[in-house]
Amino acid sequence: MSDTPLDAEPTTDLTALASQAGGTGEPIIVCEGVEKWFGRFEALRGIDLTIGRQEVVVVIGPSGSGKSTFIRCINRLEEHDRGRIVVDGTELTNDVRHIAEVRREVGMVFQSFNLFPHLTVLDNVTLGPRKVRRWPKARATEVAREMLERVKIPEQAAKYPGQLSGGQQQRVAIARALAMQPKIMLFDEPTSALDPEMIAEVLDVMREL
């Protein structure tokens, strides 16, 4: 999901852009003939896909069909074996600088939250901006609190992940990704590890984004 640029015109109908093929018409993710193997098993076969800025795309398929593998290839958590992946003008290759450049601009929300249990919610959210963006603590904290407000759990800032429900932990994970102010957001089945009553609260947050 491509995040909204800060300088977007206030009259822009973002809902319409998100639901129409191509979004604004300017590509932000381009995949050409992407293939991936695990041993002799072919997980991805000839994937061709272009995603525009402000476009929302949902990948649907049965378990084991390669959805997570494909998403992980977009930010190089998995290395594709053939084809091209270009993210915001940068092609993903073995060049570490290109990988780091893409990861700075791509937020990722996992199935299993992946929060640091020994850090508070606020520290989890500020860690990326401070270490990767090199923001001063005051700025990182200000943005983190804004993101926690955005996902409707500002009161949980001083707690640890283990003190939260699954739905709250996933909202922290979303806030953590948003705090990096990425150009692209990737969600890898973000509700699959949640109890049924917690799924709605996470989906509501995602819809509002």
Side-chain angles (χ1 to χ4, degrees):
M1 184 176 78
S2 177
D3 207 14
T4 303
L6 298 178
D7 59 351
E9 292 293 331
T11 56
T12 300
D13 187 345
L14 298 181
T15 301
L17 289 174
S19 59
Q20 70 183 28
T24 63
E26 182 183 0
I28 193 166
I29 299 173
V30 178
C31 300
E32 299 175 349
V34 175
E35 299 185 355
K36 171 69 180 178
W37 286 269
F38 292 101
R40 300 180 66 179
F41 175 72
E42 188 176 20
L44 301 177
R45 178 187 301 171
I47 303 297
D48 294 305
L49 178 66
T50 298
I51 299 174
R53 294 181 186 276
Q54 298 179 352
E55 180 182 10
V56 176
V57 174
V58 179
V59 181
I60 300 174
S63 178
S65 61
K67 302 184 301 297
S68 294
T69 298
F70 177 55
I71 290 174
R72 290 168 66 88
C73 283
I74 292 175
N75 65 353
R76 200 64 167 192
L77 290 177
E78 293 284 356
E79 180 180 352
H80 59 289
D81 296 309
R82 186 177 295 172
R84 298 176 70 239
I85 299 177
V86 181
V87 179
D88 195 27
T90 300
E91 183 173 357
L92 280 170
T93 65
N94 289 327
D95 190 325
V96 176
R97 293 169 299 178
H98 288 179
I99 296 172
E101 182 179 342
V102 166
R103 286 181 179 169
R104 279 195 298 269
E105 305 301 340
V106 178
M108 180 88 175
V109 179
F110 301 88
Q111 299 179 38
S112 54
F113 322 139
N114 287 1
L115 301 175
F116 292 105
H118 64 291
L119 298 180
T120 65
V121 165
L122 187 62
D123 288 338
N124 264 283
V125 179
T126 60
L127 186 62
R130 292 177 62 189
K131 298 296 184 180
V132 179
R133 296 288 191 193
R134 302 295 182 185
W135 288 355
K137 183 177 180 180
R139 181 184 178 190
T141 299
E142 179 183 2
V143 172
R145 291 192 183 280
E146 289 176 1
M147 295 305 103
L148 290 173
E149 184 76 42
R150 189 171 180 181
V151 299
K152 298 180 172 56
I153 49 169
E155 73 285 353
Q156 308 295 345
K159 293 185 179 180
Y160 290 88
Q163 298 174 292
L164 306 180
S165 69
Q168 289 172 329
Q169 289 187 61
Q170 193 60 292
R171 283 190 278 171
V172 173
I174 294 173
R176 178 180 61 182
L178 290 173
M180 286 289 289
Q181 298 186 345
K183 295 179 180 178
I184 299 166
M185 284 286 289
L186 303 176
F187 293 88
D188 184 11
E189 299 189 48
T191 62
S192 64
L194 301 178
D195 294 332
E197 63 270 18
M198 297 177 183
I199 291 176
E201 66 183 65
V202 173
L203 290 179
D204 285 344
V205 168
M206 291 176 64
R207 289 191 189 98
E208 290 179 12
L209 295 179

